[in-house]
Amino acid sequence: VVEEIVQCHQRQQPVLVGTVSVESSEKLSRLLQQRGIPHNVLNAKNHAREAEIVARAGQAGAVTIATNMAGRGTDIKLGGNVEMKVLAALAADPEAHPDEVRARIEAEHAADEAAVKAAGGLYVLATERHESRRIDNQLRGRS
C-alpha cells in the first residue's frame, strides 16, 4: 500500500486511502512519515478539520487517509475545492478584494484540475474490506 501511494505521490496524483480503523490509519500514517510523504489523516481523532481535509484531498500530490469514509458534507474536487481555497486566501490576506481573489483562484484552479486529470485523477485505494459494505461503497463512490 505504501509503495502504491509513493508512486502516485511522485506523479502528483492525489490518493484517497480507506482504512477500517483508527489504528490502521495511524499505522499507515507512521509508515508514510518514515518515507517523507506528506499526508492528512481523517479519523475520529481529528473530526474538527474534516471539511478542510476532504476539500484538499483532490489537490495534486495530496495523500488522504480516511477511516470509515462517508460524505462528510464536502466534495472532493479534482485540483482542490475552490471555495476552501478562496476562504484560506482571504484569511491569509484580509485586505485583499474578495472578487479579485476569487478570479485569481478560479484561473489557477483550471490549471490545477488539468494537472490532476493528466496524472490520472483521484486514486482511491482501500487497505482492506470493511465489515459494512455501505462504507466500502462510499469509498468506491469517491472514484
Side-chain angles (χ1 to χ4, degrees):
V1 169
V2 171
E3 288 304 317
E4 195 81 16
I5 294 168
V6 167
Q7 290 174 12
C8 290
H9 182 70
Q10 287 173 340
R11 64 179 175 263
Q12 292 296 290
Q13 183 176 19
V15 182
L16 175 62
V17 184
T19 63
V20 298
S21 68
V22 171
E23 294 79 20
S24 62
S25 68
E26 291 179 346
K27 180 179 180 181
L28 182 57
S29 176
R30 285 190 300 277
L31 293 171
L32 291 173
Q33 285 173 347
Q34 291 172 359
R35 296 292 298 269
I37 302 296
H39 60 281
N40 285 302
V41 179
L42 180 57
N43 61 31
K45 290 188 175 184
N46 59 5
H47 66 279
R49 292 185 48 229
E50 69 184 32
E52 175 191 346
I53 292 170
V54 173
R56 294 175 187 239
Q59 291 179 333
V63 176
T64 307
I65 303 168
T67 303
N68 295 341
M69 186 75 220
R72 307 279 185 191
T74 304
D75 290 336
I76 296 177
K77 302 282 188 176
L78 297 183
N81 184 298
V82 171
E83 293 305 316
M84 295 296 268
K85 287 180 181 182
V86 169
L87 291 174
L90 290 173
D93 184 7
E95 304 286 319
H97 189 275
D99 292 337
E100 291 173 7
V101 169
R102 177 171 296 285
R104 177 180 53 82
I105 288 176
E106 285 177 351
E108 292 170 358
H109 178 74
D112 294 343
E113 182 180 8
V116 169
K117 286 181 179 180
L122 179 66
Y123 192 98
V124 180
L125 177 65
T127 58
E128 57 191 297
R129 292 182 80 88
H130 198 281
E131 61 187 40
S132 166
R133 189 175 355 167
R134 179 182 62 83
I135 299 293
D136 284 342
N137 289 339
Q138 287 173 338
L139 181 66
R140 188 178 299 115
R142 293 298 185 157
S143 64

